[in-house]
Amino acid sequence: MNDTDDFTRWLTSHTDELNRLGSLARSVANDPQWPLTATIETYREYLESRGAAPEVIDTLSRAWSEFEDLHHLH
């Protein structure tokens, strides 16, 4: 398993949260086209191609940063 697999798993572990992160997590969990292994740029491009609002892109960036901080991926 690689780090981006871990990111998707980490992200979808937040589906019960009633905030933007939880909303993004639910969307990802229910999206069969979500790229399971990708870079932050690929995830961002994917969301933009699906017409995601700027707040969703911002939430993705914040989630990625939080994940990096938790897993020391810098």
Side-chain angles (χ1 to χ4, degrees):
M1 179 170 25
N2 65 35
D3 293 335
T4 57
D5 287 333
D6 289 344
F7 174 72
T8 297
R9 183 172 287 116
W10 174 85
L11 180 58
T12 57
S13 74
H14 294 273
T15 56
D16 291 338
E17 294 185 25
L18 300 177
N19 55 26
R20 286 184 178 176
L21 179 60
S23 180
L24 177 61
R26 287 185 293 280
S27 293
V28 168
N30 292 313
D31 184 351
Q33 302 301 315
W34 177 256
L36 295 180
T37 56
T39 63
I40 183 63
E41 292 81 15
T42 302
Y43 291 133
R44 185 179 300 115
E45 289 170 4
Y46 175 77
L47 290 174
E48 289 171 349
S49 76
R50 306 286 288 214
E55 305 84 56
V56 175
I57 305 301
D58 181 59
T59 300
L60 172 70
S61 296
R62 290 171 187 256
W64 186 268
S65 292
E66 184 177 338
F67 176 77
E68 283 185 324
D69 288 346
L70 290 171
H71 294 88
H72 309 292
L73 299 178
H74 300 288

